[in-house]
Amino acid sequence: MSLNCNEINKILSEINLQGAFIQEIIQSGYDTLGFKIINKGDLCNFLICTSQNACRINLTKNRFTKNEKPLRFNEFLKSHVQGMRINSIEQLGLERIIKMDVSTWQQRNYIYIRLWSGAANVIVTDENNIIADCMFRRPNKGETTGQPFTFTQKELSPEEKEKLLEKFTIRTFDDIDRENFTEKTGKDFDSLTFNEKIDYYYSEHTSTLSREALLLQAEKWYNVKHSKMELALNNLLQKKADFENASQLKHTGDLILTYGHQIQGGILDCLDYESNKEVHIKVDPKLNVQQNAEIYYAQYKKAVSGMEDLLHDIELSQKALDSLEKEYNQIISQKNVIKIEQLLRHYTQPKQLSKEKTHAGLHYEIDGWTILVGRNAAENDDLLRHTVKGNDMWMHTRDYHGGYVFIKAKSGKSFPLEILLYAGNLAVYHSKARQNGQSDLYYTQVKYLRRAKNGPKGLVLPTHEKNLLVKLDDEKLRRLDDIQKAQLEI
């Protein structure tokens, strides 16, 4: 339950922060701010919470928990508000909006604290009410840096104020167990100020309410991500099942060679000599018997050779699902609300922001092979110095500036042509040859590269190189894009 307009007025009447100094500002979570304030020689904690159904301000005895990683708005407040003097803090009319006037001898800011459940915000403006920054940036409402902050304060007549007081009463905390409170604190609950009662009430109840809301958010994140990953795994398992029936492809090719003389109008009707059943095989009437059989033999070879890479992808998908399960269990087993929020933020934010890269450039995992791409001279040089090894493959466009592409070697395995073509598409795409749609590439192993003496960063001279002409393939580029997006989700 958030504070109503009269409860806000009551709290402000009890706390006098005029002339106090803001010593430190701590943002424990996205919706909670803590101001450590020196007021007349005493240190006190001023809390601002914009959490839905728990919007409030009050002085608190609880300590503020620092976030693991600094949040944007917290860094702004530390740079522009921390250390300022509070000239005044007032409620605008009987609205659930508080205005803090803070300043140094050089600068003045206004901090507007809007305690509307579902639309709460903390907005910092300059003297001209131009927004410097907000806790929540909402472009659709004009609540972004550089926009004017406007608020029309409605003047209320005494009769209107009386009606509001009757409509929004100040709570009496009848649900608080007075005897239990006295046993725990040695104090009489009814002797506390309203601010102290609010602090105690939310200390006892808000953690439970916030934890339930965060767990619902975690459940939604888990269900969405789990369904996507499970669908991807099922597709791989279906492909595996198809590959396991690859022997039927070879048998179909054998039937075409055996009964090819019976083909009529693109259909071969014949008796399967293994099952002794009539079968119908679709063939291409434009091709001869040998060519039609070769189509099925090629599909059979691809299925057999791709099974190992497919098993690798299935293993990665299963590990990702297990990891997701562990992450979710870690969240739901937590009791600390702040820790739940930190874990949820860590697992749900884009991986390119939270995950420390182990190497420069782009990374692709495709059919069990790892492809690395350096997009500029610095990334090319970093990959050469710290990531790739002698047996890895290096690829670069001829006669065009562009990034280096590397294929990580696998023990006892030669580099498949299909992987070379994927790497070649990346090399052309990340080069000046992209506009041509094709380019000659040279490729060789890293151990045959020699650094150019006194040359620019990343420049190498290859030997033992081979040539490969690559035309950009939209289907391959789409698959590479999908792979990278999937890896970021994992």
Side-chain angles (χ1 to χ4, degrees):
M1 180 179 178
S2 300
L3 295 181
N4 64 41
C5 58
N6 290 305
E7 289 175 333
I8 293 172
N9 188 41
K10 179 71 172 174
I11 286 179
L12 290 177
S13 68
E14 292 182 352
I15 61 174
N16 180 18
L17 300 181
Q18 184 175 350
F21 285 89
I22 303 171
Q23 183 186 57
E24 186 180 4
I25 301 176
I26 298 171
Q27 187 173 3
S28 303
Y30 281 124
D31 57 11
T32 306
L33 281 173
F35 285 51
K36 289 188 175 182
I37 293 174
I38 299 177
N39 188 20
K40 299 175 182 177
D42 296 326
L43 182 64
C44 56
N45 295 332
F46 180 62
L47 175 73
I48 302 172
C49 181
T50 59
S51 176
Q52 189 171 11
N53 299 323
C55 296
R56 66 192 187 279
I57 58 162
N58 63 279
L59 294 181
T60 179
K61 295 180 180 179
N62 298 321
R63 296 179 60 186
F64 300 132
T65 304
K66 291 188 177 181
N67 204 37
E68 288 182 352
K69 292 185 178 180
L71 298 176
R72 169 193 57 79
F73 190 54
N74 195 183
E75 292 300 288
F76 167 81
L77 291 174
K78 287 168 66 177
S79 298
H80 296 83
V81 175
Q82 188 167 290
M84 284 188 162
R85 178 182 185 272
I86 300 176
N87 301 313
S88 65
I89 177 169
E90 60 178 340
Q91 183 180 12
L92 299 182
L94 277 179
E95 295 287 342
R96 287 176 292 165
I97 299 180
I98 299 103
K99 178 182 179 181
M100 290 180 66
D101 179 350
V102 296
S103 68
T104 64
W105 66 275
Q106 292 178 310
Q107 179 182 346
R108 174 176 248 103
N109 290 115
Y110 298 128
I111 304 174
Y112 293 91
I113 307 165
R114 188 175 63 211
L115 301 178
W116 297 352
S117 286
N121 208 348
V122 178
I123 300 169
V124 181
T125 75
D126 62 14
E127 288 183 275
N128 299 314
N129 272 346
I130 300 300
I131 296 175
D133 208 348
C134 314
M135 175 180 276
F136 303 107
R137 292 172 175 170
R138 299 186 174 110
N140 293 337
K141 295 184 178 181
E143 294 176 5
T144 57
T145 302
Q147 296 294 316
F149 178 73
T150 57
F151 173 75
T152 304
Q153 183 175 340
K154 184 181 178 182
E155 293 294 333
L156 299 177
S157 64
E159 292 77 15
E160 289 175 320
K161 290 182 180 180
E162 187 67 28
K163 287 181 180 179
L164 280 175
L165 186 59
E166 292 175 1
K167 181 178 180 181
F168 300 105
T169 58
I170 296 175
R171 71 189 85 175
T172 56
F173 303 100
D174 294 331
D175 54 337
I176 297 292
D177 186 339
R178 264 67 171 172
E179 292 183 4
N180 182 54
F181 175 82
T182 302
E183 289 179 6
K184 289 170 60 176
T185 65
K187 297 180 180 180
D188 179 9
F189 183 81
D190 293 324
S191 67
L192 300 180
T193 65
F194 183 71
N195 177 85
E196 291 171 333
K197 292 176 181 178
I198 284 290
D199 185 35
Y200 175 77
Y201 175 82
Y202 283 104
S203 298
E204 292 292 310
H205 295 84
T206 302
S207 293
T208 303
L209 296 171
S210 298
R211 185 174 185 274
E212 290 175 357
L214 288 170
L215 290 180
L216 285 174
Q217 187 180 345
E219 183 181 8
K220 181 179 178 181
W221 159 76
Y222 169 78
N223 289 336
V224 170
K225 193 167 184 179
H226 187 273
S227 63
K228 288 182 180 179
M229 295 170 70
E230 193 172 43
L231 178 62
L233 177 59
N234 289 337
N235 289 337
L236 290 173
L237 293 173
Q238 181 58 51
K239 193 173 181 181
K240 177 175 177 284
D242 295 339
F243 277 12
E244 288 172 344
N245 295 325
S247 58
Q248 185 60 38
L249 294 170
K250 181 176 181 297
H251 181 59
T252 302
D254 293 340
L255 290 174
I256 292 174
L257 289 179
T258 303
Y259 300 106
H261 60 282
Q262 299 178 204
I263 294 176
Q264 291 183 354
I267 296 293
L268 171 59
D269 294 324
C270 63
L271 184 67
D272 187 339
Y273 50 77
E274 286 189 351
S275 64
N276 205 31
K277 294 181 180 179
E278 188 78 18
V279 295
H280 308 278
I281 303 171
K282 187 177 181 179
V283 296
D284 189 341
K286 297 179 182 178
L287 303 178
N288 59 37
V289 173
Q290 184 67 37
Q291 290 171 328
N292 274 298
E294 189 59 37
I295 291 174
Y296 286 93
Y297 289 144
Q299 292 176 2
Y300 166 72
K301 291 177 182 177
K302 184 177 181 180
V304 172
S305 63
M307 179 61 81
E308 181 180 343
D309 295 334
L310 184 62
L311 293 175
H312 175 76
D313 291 343
I314 290 173
E315 182 183 1
L316 287 178
S317 294
Q318 289 174 332
K319 285 182 179 178
L321 270 171
D322 292 340
S323 177
L324 176 65
E325 199 72 34
K326 289 178 181 177
E327 291 170 358
Y328 181 59
N329 288 332
Q330 186 182 9
I331 291 173
I332 62 177
S333 63
Q334 265 293 336
K335 302 299 182 184
N336 186 301
V337 176
I338 300 298
K339 187 63 177 176
I340 293 175
E341 185 180 15
Q342 291 172 350
L343 287 171
L344 193 57
R345 184 164 61 251
H346 173 71
Y347 291 137
T348 57
Q349 71 181 0
K351 294 299 180 183
Q352 59 265 38
L353 298 179
S354 65
K355 188 176 181 180
E356 293 185 5
K357 293 181 68 173
T358 56
H359 58 76
L362 301 177
H363 177 108
Y364 297 87
E365 291 284 342
I366 181 166
D367 296 338
W369 293 84
T370 300
I371 301 176
L372 307 176
V373 182
R375 294 162 293 182
N376 52 51
E379 290 184 352
N380 293 340
D381 187 66
D382 193 286
L383 288 170
L384 282 167
R385 288 179 181 275
H386 305 297
T387 306
V388 297
K389 297 182 179 179
N391 289 330
D392 298 336
M393 187 63 73
W394 168 87
M395 185 175 289
H396 187 255
T397 51
R398 284 187 184 270
D399 305 321
Y400 290 97
H401 291 295
Y404 292 168
V405 177
F406 300 93
I407 309 172
K408 296 293 290 180
K410 296 173 71 172
S411 179
K413 297 279 187 180
S414 59
F415 296 95
L417 176 60
E418 191 71 5
I419 296 301
L420 288 173
L421 291 175
Y422 273 108
N425 268 266
L426 288 168
V428 175
Y429 186 82
H430 292 283
S431 75
K432 298 291 185 181
R434 187 200 303 186
Q435 59 187 2
N436 296 336
Q438 67 177 46
S439 175
D440 280 311
L441 306 171
Y442 42 18
Y443 64 98
T444 188
Q445 289 179 288
V446 172
K447 61 186 175 184
Y448 296 126
L449 300 177
R450 180 170 57 86
R451 293 187 181 278
K453 188 175 182 181
N454 299 323
K457 179 184 286 188
L459 181 63
V460 293
L461 303 175
T463 57
H464 298 74
E465 71 271 21
K466 297 179 181 179
N467 192 77
L468 181 67
L469 173 63
V470 172
K471 295 182 180 180
L472 287 179
D473 186 323
D474 290 339
E475 185 177 341
K476 282 184 169 58
L477 291 174
R478 275 196 298 271
R479 187 184 177 195
L480 287 164
D481 186 52
D482 291 341
I483 287 172
Q484 191 177 44
K485 288 178 181 176
Q487 288 171 179
L488 287 173
E489 288 181 0
I490 292 172

